[in-house]
Amino acid sequence: LPAARAPPLLRSGESLHEGEPTPLQRAAGGEGEAAALIRRAAAPWSPASHSLFPAAARARAALLVRSLYEIHDGQLDRPNGIAARDFSACVLRFAITRETE
């Protein structure tokens, strides 16, 4: 798979777990930029992998991050206010999946 084709396929929601061998299985032992992109897209969501997730997952991530920062802004005068950056790093990676609708 040419590296230039990988990001659009990943953003379109192409499954990483269908077929034999699956795209993820092929990428696991592969070298090159496309294999690295597929492995990164299969990992939990992060700001670094955000652009490789389908549109619905990216929209959910953006909504949750904005919501967290709004909550955080309202907590700044309280000593135990949540740290939005820490929360997004620890929790959003589990809340955002490639299958998010």
Side-chain angles (χ1 to χ4, degrees), residues 9-99:
L9 287 172
L10 293 167
R11 283 192 294 266
S12 75
E14 192 72 25
S15 174
L16 302 177
H17 305 286
E18 292 180 8
E20 192 57 45
T22 67
L24 186 55
Q25 289 169 332
R26 288 182 188 169
E31 294 181 13
E33 188 178 345
L37 288 170
I38 291 169
R39 288 191 300 268
R40 191 167 47 159
W45 178 92
S46 72
S49 65
H50 178 82
S51 66
L52 300 174
F53 276 66
R58 292 192 318 268
R60 180 177 168 91
L63 174 66
L64 290 173
V65 167
R66 281 193 304 270
S67 299
L68 287 170
Y69 276 99
E70 286 180 20
I71 292 168
H72 182 260
D73 284 348
Q75 300 291 321
L76 287 178
D77 58 340
R78 296 185 186 153
N80 293 324
I82 66 166
R85 201 170 293 166
D86 292 340
F87 186 82
S88 72
C90 296
V91 175
L92 287 184
R93 59 183 302 173
F94 299 105
I96 308 300
T97 65
R98 294 192 59 74
E99 295 77 26

